[in-house]
Amino acid sequence: MLLFTAHGACYLLFWGVTKRISHEVLKWQHVGVANVPGELALLAGLCLWAMTFPRIRRKLFELFFYTHHLYIIFVFFFCLHVGVSFMCIMLPGFYLFMIDRFLRFLQSRRCVRLVSARVLPSEFLELNFSKTPGLKYTPTSIIFINVPSISKLQWHPFTVTSSSSLEPEKLSVLIKVEGSWTTKLCQMLAASPADRIEVAVEGPYGPASTQFLGHDTLVMVSGGSGITPFFSIIRELIFLSTTLKTKTPKLLLICMFKKSTELTMLDLLLPFSSSPTDLINLQLQIEAYVTREKEPKRENQKPLQTVWFRPNASDEPISPILGQNGWLWLAAIISSSFIGFLLSMGILTRYYIYPKDHNTEQIFSSSKRVVLNILLLCVCIILASSGAVLWNKIKNNMEAKQIMNMEGTTPRESTHSWFYNAERELESLPHESLVQTINVHYGKRPELKRLLSGCEGSSTGVLVSGPKKLRQEVAAICSSGVANNLHFESISFSW
């Protein structure tokens, strides 16, 4: 953006020195470079850039999100400014972006099946969605969620806590209740649960690959809601150790919470479908620290509430927009739409633009040529993408009917947290196994340097998720040379 701004400022300065600024600023040339579109593109770009400052982006996320739709104005007027020839320079990247954006738009138009929700006493929500077994994603993925009854325009990213390998027909997310949108969602679930909540999603998106198995020991350090991406890692390792019989690294989870009620998040560490033997082969140790309380507070505790939703024929399980062979379909969309664009552009040039240039004394307007090319580009992408999505939607509907028949209707229930009902007989044997792996420390913070330096093995992976200060502290320990086997990796929620 600095180069664009410098480019525009230099021209304005030149026009001002030569006393032509009032004439040049309003000049829209029909042939060659047009000034007015360039100025409009620069203004849109400056608005985008101004909203990217961290303070604005974090405190006014909605303003940041909505203003970034100005990229449409920026790209459109930039193309009008430079003409067709220079537009072709940016065509490859812009073409792929348009295909990706349209596919995401098609996915976000579908209502997905929300199976259940759990409301924790610590102001956290877990949403459980139905998905097709063909949808695969990696641990630490995120998904964008929209609830039209709250806001039709707001899309919020949340960490996926489930594993597509361990839970082939379910996708779960954990949501911290803070802000107006999440507060309204929590009130909808806790006050008067409905039979159905209309939800749309976009994603999930995640890293292409993970290297968790490349270490002898895996240390996960979290602060508050930063623990959420580690749920999916632990569940993925449970699948590898139980189903594939793969040797997994030793696991040490160091989690910090402000209040003892937040310990109920550990209820969600294991899925509903876990069996008592899931943790036998997984060497897991959890060190939980409650920093602002010296002892557990058990008075006036809210129960852990579970809400089940009735299946609805209009809702679909979350599925890959292009099916299981997504890369092949994507290649087909790119190649077919681009070939169609080249052919239609050639026909348009030969039979419409060329005769006007050579049979009349007027040269065909550069701006009109750009608009026609953009329209052809959009039409070809829409036709190719819609055809591929429609074909896969027919196949996904067949899977959705099978999943709907298997789910049936589940009654609503409310259960207490196993963590706060130690005297009550535990309802879940996997949770009983999990209790034995947890050490809770009150009124202090972990001695990270001692814990990290004491890790055994030739290679120790250190994953950190939480506040910036925590990430910097762990990074400093790993780079200080206190141990030669530490390999640092940070997971950030900064958008």
Side-chain angles (χ1 to χ4, degrees), residues 28 68 128 172 190 266 295 312 320 325 346 382 427 469 493:
W28 190 317
H68 267 63
N128 299 303
S172 303
L266 298 176
E295 59 182 13
N312 189 284
N325 299 318
I382 290 173
E427 298 179 357
K469 186 177 180 180
F493 289 100

Side-chain angles (χ1 to χ4, degrees), residues 261-309:
T261 54
E262 296 181 3
L263 289 169
T264 53
M265 276 196 289
L266 298 176
D267 285 330
L268 311 180
L269 194 60
L270 296 178
F272 280 129
S273 58
S274 295
S275 65
T277 59
D278 284 347
L279 291 175
I280 293 178
N281 298 325
L282 196 65
Q283 303 177 64
L284 173 63
Q285 181 62 39
I286 301 176
E287 300 292 336
Y289 292 82
V290 181
T291 59
R292 296 188 180 181
E293 294 179 5
K294 295 184 177 180
E295 59 182 13
K297 295 183 179 180
R298 306 191 176 213
E299 64 276 3
N300 299 325
Q301 296 167 15
K302 297 180 181 179
L304 187 154
Q305 182 185 11
T306 302
V307 181
W308 297 89
F309 299 98

Side-chain angles (χ1 to χ4, degrees), residues 118 120 124-126 139-140 159-163 166-167 172-175 220 222 224-238 251 253 255 257 262-271 282 286 434:
R118 286 196 279 183
L120 277 67
F124 277 85
L125 304 173
E126 183 193 46
T140 70
T159 304
V160 177
T161 57
S162 57
S163 165
L166 185 64
E167 304 154 275
S172 303
V173 297
L174 188 60
I175 300 174
M220 297 172 285
S222 69
S225 60
I227 194 175
T228 52
F230 298 147
F231 288 180
S232 59
I233 295 175
I234 293 175
R235 294 185 184 187
E236 184 72 16
L237 293 177
I238 289 176
L251 296 179
L253 174 60
C255 47
F257 306 103
E262 296 181 3
L263 289 169
T264 53
M265 276 196 289
L266 298 176
D267 285 330
L268 311 180
L269 194 60
L270 296 178
L282 196 65
I286 301 176
L434 185 59

Side-chain angles (χ1 to χ4, degrees), residues 223-382:
S225 60
I227 194 175
T228 52
F230 298 147
F231 288 180
S232 59
I233 295 175
I234 293 175
R235 294 185 184 187
E236 184 72 16
L237 293 177
I238 289 176
F239 170 78
L240 294 174
S241 63
T242 57
T243 306
L244 301 183
K245 307 299 180 183
T246 304
K247 183 181 178 181
T248 56
K250 296 180 181 179
L251 296 179
L252 173 59
L253 174 60
I254 305 172
C255 47
M256 287 165 275
F257 306 103
K258 293 180 180 179
K259 301 178 181 180
S260 56
T261 54
E262 296 181 3
L263 289 169
T264 53
M265 276 196 289
L266 298 176
D267 285 330
L268 311 180
L269 194 60
L270 296 178
F272 280 129
S273 58
S274 295
S275 65
T277 59
D278 284 347
L279 291 175
I280 293 178
N281 298 325
L282 196 65
Q283 303 177 64
L284 173 63
Q285 181 62 39
I286 301 176
E287 300 292 336
Y289 292 82
V290 181
T291 59
R292 296 188 180 181
E293 294 179 5
K294 295 184 177 180
E295 59 182 13
K297 295 183 179 180
R298 306 191 176 213
E299 64 276 3
N300 299 325
Q301 296 167 15
K302 297 180 181 179
L304 187 154
Q305 182 185 11
T306 302
V307 181
W308 297 89
F309 299 98
R310 297 180 184 275
N312 189 284
S314 63
D315 294 338
E316 305 176 16
I318 302 176
S319 59
I321 189 69
L322 296 178
Q324 297 186 20
N325 299 318
W327 288 108
L328 295 177
W329 280 106
L330 184 60
I333 291 173
I334 294 173
S335 57
S336 61
S337 60
F338 191 70
I339 291 173
F341 169 65
L342 293 179
L343 290 175
S344 57
M345 185 176 63
I347 294 173
L348 178 71
T349 303
R350 175 65 181 84
Y351 294 102
Y352 181 69
I353 298 177
Y354 181 81
K356 287 200 171 186
D357 282 345
H358 289 265
N359 297 336
T360 64
E361 296 181 357
Q362 297 181 352
I363 299 177
F364 196 83
S365 172
S366 299
S367 299
K368 291 182 180 178
R369 181 178 295 191
V370 169
V371 172
L372 290 173
N373 278 269
I374 292 177
L375 288 176
L376 290 176
L377 187 69
C378 294
V379 169
C380 293
I381 289 176
I382 290 173

